[in-house]
């Protein structure tokens, strides 16, 4: 069948509408019950019809004409956080969503996830967002992607379990908190982590068009501190330049992973402000190990390094969170 004939068959499903008044989500492939496809952006689920954007034209497709997968996709997108995040948000409230990965990321995710007890294997992104008082997406904002220990295993709460530690400082200093989790939580899985962060950033940009121009940081404690360095690379792949990373209680030197695993060039990663927060009596991330990590990073060109000590052991010292966020905002 030639392309022109195929287009005619696909378009026979569509009921032409007016020019678009609302903003569509990114274009993706939709399949009908006969296996034919079109490329269009989702607009809304209106009764038993799916409204789509085809090159600036609104078209409506009866749900029963779509394949089961496309029907499920439409239903999930109808509950997309974009609609809510673009509206009025309550400061300090955690907005938690489970949303499908973008189609181009779905195959990446499905290849990387591993079966694990209690974990759903659908390619679902768990996105959590908290905004500060006086949040206005029309003005420049500050965003921190928080990280939990190791990769934030989705079965045990994911990266979002790090949110409470950051809440007070973020609310006081005007930072948005974001966590993004994949279905499997594979430790140091750079391909899956990058796909997760790309999908999260794409979704947030759809809600807040100026999103990518804002100020960004990462942060976490222990394995989350290590993961906050890796997140610089994942966010780089999402088109985000990170200004600061709060590395709490971490003893591992992973800086070179940014170039080797995430393809983040040194001219980007060396400009990040690295704030190390550690206890003088930490028997895991000992002062000697932390100083060794900092020395290695400085030798690689990371001159914006800062270490602050507290008198405790292997614990996250909350006052250092505020100190780091203030420094990143300078």
């Amino acid at each position: 069948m030639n392309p022109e004939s195929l287009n005619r068959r696909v378009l026979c499903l569509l009921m032409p509408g007016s020019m678009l008044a609302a903003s569509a989500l990114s274009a993706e492939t939709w399949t009908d019950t006969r296996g034919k496809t079109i490329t269009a952006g989702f607009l809304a689920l209106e009764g038993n019809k799916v409204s789509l954007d085809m090159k600036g034209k609104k078209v409506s497709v009866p749900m029963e004409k779509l394949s089961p997968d496309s029907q499920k996709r439409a239903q999930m997108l109808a509950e997309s956080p974009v609609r809510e995040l673009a509206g009025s948000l309550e400061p300090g409230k955690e907005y938690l969503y489970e949303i499908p990965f973008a189609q181009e990321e779905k195959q990446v995710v499905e290849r990387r996830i591993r079966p694990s007890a209690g974990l759903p294997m659908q390619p679902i992104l768990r996105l959590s967002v908290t905004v500060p008082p006086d949040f206005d997406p029309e003005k420049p904002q500050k965003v921190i992607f928080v990280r939990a220990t190791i990769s934030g295993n989705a079965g045990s709460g994911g990266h979002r379990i790090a949110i409470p530690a950051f809440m007070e400082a973020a609310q006081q200093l005007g930072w948005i908190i974001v966590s993004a989790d994949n279905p499997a939580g594979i430790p140091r899985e750079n391909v899956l982590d990058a796909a997760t962060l790309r999908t999260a950033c794409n979704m947030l940009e759809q809600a807040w068009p100026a999103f990518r121009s804002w100020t960004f940081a990462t942060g976490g404690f222990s394995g989350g501190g290590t993961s906050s360095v890796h997140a610089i690379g994942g966010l780089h792949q999402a088109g985000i330049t990170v200004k600061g990373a709060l590395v709490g209680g971490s003893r591992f030197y992973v800086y070179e992973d940014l170039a080797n695993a995430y393809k983040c060039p040194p001219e980007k990663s060396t400009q990040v402000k690295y704030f190390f927060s550690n206890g003088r009596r930490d028997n895991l991330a000992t002062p000697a190990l932390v100083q060794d990590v900092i020395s290695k990073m400085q030798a690689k060109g990371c001159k914006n390094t800062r270490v602050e000590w507290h008198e405790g052991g292997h614990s996250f010292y909350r006052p250092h969170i505020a100190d780091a966020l203030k420094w990143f905002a300078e």
Side-chain angles (χ1 to χ4, degrees), residues 235-276:
L235 288 168
H236 167 72
Q237 291 197 19
I240 300 295
T241 297
V242 174
K243 189 171 183 181
L246 171 52
V247 186
S250 176
R251 59 181 173 171
F252 296 107
Y253 174 67
V254 296
Y255 170 75
E256 292 187 36
D257 291 352
L258 294 180
N260 297 335
Y262 290 93
K263 309 305 178 186
C264 181
E267 56 266 28
K268 292 282 189 180
S269 58
T270 57
Q271 298 306 306
V272 176
K273 293 180 176 180
Y274 296 94
F275 186 108
F276 289 83

Side-chain angles (χ1 to χ4, degrees), residues 185-196:
I186 301 174
R188 300 182 179 89
E189 174 49 87
N190 60 296
V191 175
L192 184 54
D193 193 32
T196 301

Side-chain angles (χ1 to χ4, degrees), residues 142-161:
K142 303 182 292 291
V143 183
I144 183 164
F145 281 79
V146 298
R147 311 287 279 187
T149 186
I150 307 300
S151 70
N153 186 298
S156 61
H159 291 305
R160 64 184 290 257
I161 66 175

Side-chain angles (χ1 to χ4, degrees), residues 66-123:
L66 292 175
S67 69
D69 283 347
S70 286
Q71 288 185 33
K72 183 177 179 180
R73 175 72 173 169
Q75 290 169 342
M76 295 184 77
L77 288 177
E79 301 172 359
S80 165
V82 170
R83 286 7 182 214
E84 184 172 37
L85 290 173
S88 179
L89 302 177
E90 179 183 338
K93 176 181 176 180
E94 181 186 3
Y95 292 85
L96 178 63
Y97 307 97
E98 292 190 351
I99 55 179
F101 276 86
Q103 192 163 25
E104 62 270 22
E105 304 288 11
K106 181 179 178 181
Q107 294 179 349
V108 174
V109 175
E110 289 179 330
R111 286 196 299 266
R112 311 300 292 196
I113 58 179
R114 304 287 187 270
S116 178
L119 293 180
M121 288 296 102
Q122 300 95 331

